[in-house]
Amino acid sequence: MNFELILNEIGENSKLLQSSPVSGGDINEAWMLQTETRKYFLKTNREESINFFHAEADGLKEIASSNAIAVPFVFKTGTIDCVPFLLMEWIEGRKTEHTETELGTKLAAMHQTFHTKFGYGSDTYMGKLPQKNGWHKNWVRYYRNERLKPQLELAIGRGHMPVPRRRSMEKLLMNLDRWLGHHPKPSLLHGDLWGGNWMTGESGNPVLIDPSVLYGDHEFEIAFTELFGGFSQAFYSSYQEAFPLSEGYEDRKPLYRLYYLLAHLNMFGESYGRAVDQIISRYA
Ligand code: ADP
């Protein structure tokens, strides 16, 4: 890969001193590019279309425009030798005792960036899975039709929906209004906020990476942070203080985890089947 060519495209004229692979991502190849003046983070992907990086760059810009929390600056998305790439600011820093408290406060501020409708104006990705969006007046309708239903259909197609699971899932979809009738506001959400999707910046500040943005119930995001861990009590305390979760959250939480678990079932297979079944059996 011709890294110099990519740097030239953004007008970076100083010499490339070093390029080294960065590990840790699930999907893309990643690189650190060190020039005489600064470091860059480059992602490339030979298998996905450029839309994949357009969606990520668009999400980062949407979060940046909330002015609530830091994200890496996007220098450029493009293709080089037919390979899509995304070039952004390099993020590096050490956690302080305030980092996670700040993450809670700033995420709460981002979640208090409201839209008039639910969803998003363009499609995104959940991992490698395409995620359709569109604008909806009604949150439950968006969550049912754009989130749970497409994952159900994909799971049927991929052979992850034995008949009893499918029947219960269909029943759950019909009952959704009963459980999610708490009238949330359309908050700006990161959309894929597991522990690996936030980093620490230069001043010990939290930085969000790799979003799959939407405007939706903020509980949807918090429920996902709790699914795989990686978020401290300090984070939850400061979040709750700034933007409290409504009564009944604990009853809605499994329904919000369900989307992510279905997506994992579709991406990684039956090891997620039991967790899906436990939720479906409670709400069907
Ligand atoms: P993927 O889309 O393949 O999951 P990620 O965006 O999660 O890739 O990035 C892979 C790894 O690279 C992350 O785990 C993180 O450690 C590191 N990383 C991501 N973004 C940056 C950045 N802007 N600066 C420095 N390192 C980064």
Side-chain angles (χ1 to χ4, degrees):
M1 170 132 317
N2 192 337
F3 298 126
E4 275 97 349
L5 212 58
I6 294 175
L7 293 172
N8 278 344
E9 284 197 24
I10 61 155
E12 168 63 273
N13 298 319
S14 71
K15 216 166 111 194
L16 177 64
L17 300 178
Q18 193 195 339
S19 59
S20 26
V22 178
S23 59
D26 303 326
I27 298 171
N28 304 294
E29 281 189 273
W31 313 86
M32 185 277 288
L33 305 183
Q34 169 81 66
T35 70
E36 282 169 332
T37 51
R38 64 180 301 160
K39 275 184 181 174
Y40 294 89
F41 181 69
L42 175 75
K43 280 188 184 187
T44 60
N45 194 318
R46 287 165 199 279
E47 282 154 33
E48 301 293 329
S49 85
I50 185 66
N51 293 343
F52 193 75
F53 287 144
H54 281 328
E56 181 171 342
D58 175 74
L60 288 169
K61 287 175 191 166
E62 187 75 12
I63 294 176
S65 68
S66 75
N67 286 323
I69 188 162
V71 288
F73 179 78
V74 174
F75 290 102
K76 193 166 174 67
T77 48
T79 46
I80 201 138
D81 300 333
C82 300
V83 179
F85 72 84
L86 169 57
L87 183 69
M88 64 178 102
E89 177 189 355
W90 177 261
I91 301 297
E92 188 172 338
R94 287 168 75 96
K95 262 192 201 175
T96 71
E97 54 181 322
H98 304 297
T99 306
E100 303 208 14
T101 304
E102 211 182 302
L103 177 64
T105 313
K106 291 188 163 172
L107 188 73
M110 183 181 115
H111 286 175
Q112 288 171 93
T113 305
F114 299 113
H115 201 277
T116 51
K117 291 200 178 132
F118 297 98
Y120 198 56
S122 52
D123 296 345
T124 53
Y125 290 83
M126 176 48 48
K128 279 186 186 174
L129 302 176
Q131 166 59 55
K132 269 181 78 244
N133 281 301
W135 292 113
H136 291 246
K137 278 192 191 145
N138 180 299
W139 166 245
V140 182
R141 211 165 295 157
Y142 170 80
Y143 191 55
R144 184 198 288 120
N145 294 342
E146 305 284 21
R147 295 276 164 168
L148 295 180
K149 251 189 192 166
Q151 292 296 335
L152 166 64
E153 280 156 17
L154 192 61
I156 294 169
R158 293 189 173 187
H160 299 312
M161 276 287 153
V163 174
R165 183 182 288 165
R166 177 176 173 170
R167 293 246 164 83
S168 303
M169 186 64 206
E170 283 163 351
K171 218 162 138 200
L172 179 148
L173 289 177
M174 286 193 312
N175 288 340
L176 212 55
D177 286 289
R178 218 177 87 202
W179 299 104
L180 301 182
H182 59 303
H183 304 298
K185 283 168 119 182
S187 292
L188 174 58
L189 308 182
H190 175 285
D192 190 12
L193 194 54
W194 65 287
N197 275 349
W198 73 275
M199 299 181 67
T200 305
E202 213 172 353
S203 58
N205 59 308
V207 181
L208 300 187
I209 60 168
D210 222 359
S212 175
V213 295
L214 71 149
Y215 286 83
D217 185 355
H218 67 133
E219 294 181 357
F220 182 38
E221 186 115 289
I222 299 302
F224 186 44
T225 65
E226 289 189 72
L227 183 59
F228 298 128
F231 295 84
S232 66
Q233 198 44 53
F235 161 76
Y236 290 107
S237 302
S238 62
Y239 183 90
Q240 180 74 15
E241 200 173 307
F243 192 9
L245 300 166
S246 314
E247 206 189 318
Y249 164 67
E250 290 298 328
D251 289 327
R252 294 183 288 272
K253 182 161 78 179
L255 280 174
Y256 283 153
R257 289 176 167 179
L258 182 58
Y259 168 73
Y260 293 101
L261 287 167
L262 285 171
H264 278 70
L265 179 69
N266 283 324
M267 287 186 279
F268 308 113
E270 194 49 38
S271 53
Y272 288 91
R274 222 175 118 216
V276 166
D277 289 339
Q278 276 173 351
I279 297 176
I280 300 180
S281 63
R282 179 170 165 192
Y283 296 91

